[in-house]
Amino acid sequence: MDNYKSDNTARRYKAHVSILGTTQIHLRNPYIIAWWSVSFPGFGHLLLSKYIRGFLLLAWEVVINLKAHVNLAMIYSFQGNIAMAKEVLDTRWLLIYIPVYIFAIWDSYRTTVDMNNVYILAEREDHEINSFSIGSLEINYLDKRNPFLAALWSFFMPGLGQLYIHRIVTAFVVIIWSVIFFYYSHMLEGVSLLFLGEVKKATSVLEPEWLLMFPSLYGFAIFDAYMNTVENNKLYEKEQRRFLKRNYQARAFRVLKRKERI
């Protein structure tokens, strides 16, 4: 765009298009973001495009959860075996797990509230953004895509929906963790045995601690892909509206108020 400059000429920008993806701020529900941090620490921050914090918390959750046997204790609790749930928990790891878990929830909620305020100010400033980025490795641009397809691809394999909407960094991390979860949970092996009718064997090969990671991962991948597709479409429409208004709308054009039209 002719008025766009690569240097920071505005106090706040609503979005940035780069070869690694489209990053934007928009209004979010702090309780929903906090809930995703409850589901899996790190996911709330990834939804906010706070990638470094999100990746650190995500790795922390996987490693410390397995060391403390939190998922295994949850499984025993679901079965009503409270005594065994207490027995398997490793308090040496559990006591450092709890503070970080609470921090992830609190920080994602606080950050969402702050970013909502920043978005309101950025919307009022309404500075122009770049809509096209090309580099030696990738090309990215604003366009409209189908939210249903983004969710569907994430359902087939977590991370594919993010690739569809060009969220390369999130897609890379989600796909890597998905492969790790698939491998160590033996989920695909269990599915293969289930198709062969060997139900007991399919159940026995599963690793429940790793398997319990999947509901949160799948839910996040689908929600993130769908939500960001919707928001990217809104951003595209705003940018296109601005371009058409600036270049093709006559200066004398005026939208009549309701009273004037009557």
Side-chain angles (χ1 to χ4, degrees):
M1 301 180 69
D2 50 303
N3 290 333
Y4 175 77
K5 296 180 180 179
S6 60
D7 58 338
N8 190 15
T9 58
R11 292 193 68 190
R12 302 170 184 88
Y13 291 96
K14 290 185 292 186
H16 177 69
V17 177
S18 70
I19 61 172
L20 295 179
T22 301
T23 304
Q24 64 169 306
I25 55 175
H26 55 84
L27 293 178
R28 296 175 172 90
N29 189 326
Y31 293 103
I32 292 179
I33 301 299
W35 185 88
W36 278 110
S37 292
V38 173
S39 174
F40 209 106
F43 282 168
H45 290 83
L46 291 182
L47 288 171
L48 297 172
S49 298
K50 293 283 188 176
Y51 296 118
I52 297 178
R53 244 181 290 185
F55 298 155
L56 288 174
L57 289 170
L58 180 60
W60 174 278
E61 165 65 17
V62 174
V63 173
I64 306 301
N65 187 309
L66 293 172
K67 292 292 185 180
H69 304 295
V70 174
N71 281 354
L72 191 58
M74 290 175 61
I75 293 171
Y76 284 126
S77 298
F78 295 155
Q79 296 172 344
N81 195 344
I82 306 301
M84 184 60 72
K86 294 179 180 178
E87 182 68 24
V88 297
L89 284 173
D90 190 336
T91 53
R92 292 177 301 173
W93 293 98
L94 185 65
L95 293 179
I96 64 172
Y97 174 84
I98 295 174
V100 179
Y101 184 82
I102 296 174
F103 169 81
I105 300 169
W106 171 81
D107 189 63
S108 63
Y109 180 91
R110 175 198 63 81
T111 304
T112 306
V113 173
D114 287 345
M115 290 183 67
N116 284 346
N117 294 331
V118 171
Y119 171 78
I120 293 172
L121 296 173
E123 184 72 15
R124 291 176 180 175
E125 188 172 348
D126 198 25
H127 198 274
E128 295 197 21
I129 62 169
N130 60 323
S131 59
F132 185 90
S133 180
I134 185 170
S136 58
L137 297 177
E138 272 288 356
I139 301 174
N140 186 26
Y141 49 88
L142 287 180
D143 66 339
K144 297 191 72 172
R145 301 187 184 182
N146 191 325
F148 175 76
L149 282 179
L152 185 63
W153 280 117
S154 290
F155 175 78
F156 288 144
M157 173 67 185
L160 293 184
Q162 281 70 26
L163 282 180
Y164 170 65
I165 60 174
H166 204 94
R167 284 172 60 83
I168 302 298
V169 179
T170 303
F172 176 79
V173 173
V174 171
I175 290 174
I176 291 297
W177 280 113
S178 296
V179 171
I180 294 173
F181 293 166
F182 275 121
Y183 181 81
Y184 285 104
S185 68
H186 299 279
M187 181 178 175
L188 297 182
E189 184 180 353
V191 171
S192 300
L193 292 171
L194 189 63
F195 286 154
L196 295 174
E198 300 184 34
V199 180
K200 290 185 178 179
K201 192 172 181 180
T203 306
S204 64
V205 299
L206 294 175
E207 289 291 337
E209 278 191 287
W210 288 95
L211 190 66
L212 208 58
M213 304 281 188
F214 274 109
S216 298
L217 181 67
Y218 262 97
F220 165 78
I222 294 171
F223 177 81
D224 177 79
Y226 183 90
M227 183 268 296
N228 278 290
T229 305
V230 171
E231 294 299 330
N232 284 354
N233 289 347
K234 292 179 182 178
L235 183 66
Y236 169 82
E237 291 174 355
K238 288 181 180 180
E239 195 279 333
Q240 188 74 359
R241 189 183 305 118
R242 172 199 287 274
F243 174 79
L244 295 174
K245 183 178 179 180
R246 186 184 68 238
N247 292 280
Y248 295 99
Q249 181 172 298
R251 293 185 179 182
F253 178 82
R254 186 168 64 93
V255 178
L256 296 178
K257 297 181 181 178
R258 179 177 295 182
K259 292 181 179 180
E260 294 175 330
R261 282 181 288 183
I262 295 175

